[in-house]
Each structure stands twice: as C-alpha cells, then as structure tokens.
C-alpha cells in the first residue's frame, strides 16, 4: 500500500465545509477556481487507483489529507481471444486466398 499525506497550518475548514469538499463545483473562493479540484482528485484516487482519500480539518488548525492506494494495479485476466476467421476450425495454418 502506498500512502501520501499532506498537512498545512492554514485556516482549516469547518465541519460543514469538510463534508462538501469532494462535491463538484463546490468552492469557498468564488472568484478563484472552478471547485473541481478535489472532486477530480477524489474520483482518480477512488476509481482509477482503487484507493482512499481522507481529509481532516478544523478552523484555525490547518488541514491534513491522506491518500492511500495499492502499490501495484489490480490485474485482470486478458479478454478471451476471438477465433481467427482466416483459419478453419481443423487447421492450424492460416487460410490463403485461393485455397479451397
């Protein structure tokens, strides 16, 4: 498991704000940014990396964010191979044009 953490000593967040940080278009700075940053990060971490992201904060006490995800990506069985239409079911050599 890989763990990446980040902590600051900034203004922090209220409990109400913390509950909404992963919502699309949620922002506390109306004139700076789209409010998509943590929404995108959350989806990348949980969907693509199959991990977790946890944020903790308190007003005037900063914010801590911890991301955890598996060290190696999940492995999947390769898709089943389709039969080659150029081969007859009994032959192991490809059929050539003009062969009957």
């Amino acid at each position: 498991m890989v763990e990446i953490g980040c902590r600051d000593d900034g203004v922090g967040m209220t409990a109400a704000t913390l509950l909404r940080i992963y919502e699309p278009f949620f922002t506390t700075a109306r004139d700076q940014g789209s409010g998509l940053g943590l929404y995108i990060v959350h989806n990348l971490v949980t969907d693509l990396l199959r991990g977790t992201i946890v944020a903790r904060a308190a007003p005037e006490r900063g914010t801590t964010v911890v991301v955890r995800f598996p060290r190696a990506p999940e492995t999947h069985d390769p898709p089943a191979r389709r039969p080659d239409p150029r081969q007859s079911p009994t032959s192991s050599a490809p059929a050539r044009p003009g062969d009957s």
Side-chain angles (χ1 to χ4, degrees), residues 1-74:
M1 190 66 77
V2 175
E3 180 175 296
I4 301 170
C6 183
R7 180 176 58 204
D8 70 27
D9 59 358
V11 298
M13 290 179 258
T14 65
T17 298
L18 191 58
L19 289 173
R20 300 188 62 201
I21 62 173
Y22 303 121
E23 291 179 14
F25 305 108
F26 176 74
T27 181
T28 58
R30 298 277 179 229
D31 58 341
Q32 300 174 343
S34 64
L36 288 173
L38 284 175
Y39 171 74
I40 292 170
V41 169
H42 182 269
N43 285 324
L44 287 172
V45 168
T46 59
D47 294 343
L48 184 66
L49 297 175
R50 301 287 185 223
T52 60
I53 181 168
V54 177
R56 294 182 198 91
E60 305 307 320
R61 299 211 178 239
T63 301
T64 300
V65 177
V66 177
V67 175
R68 292 182 183 98
F69 53 90
R71 184 177 301 272
E74 292 180 11

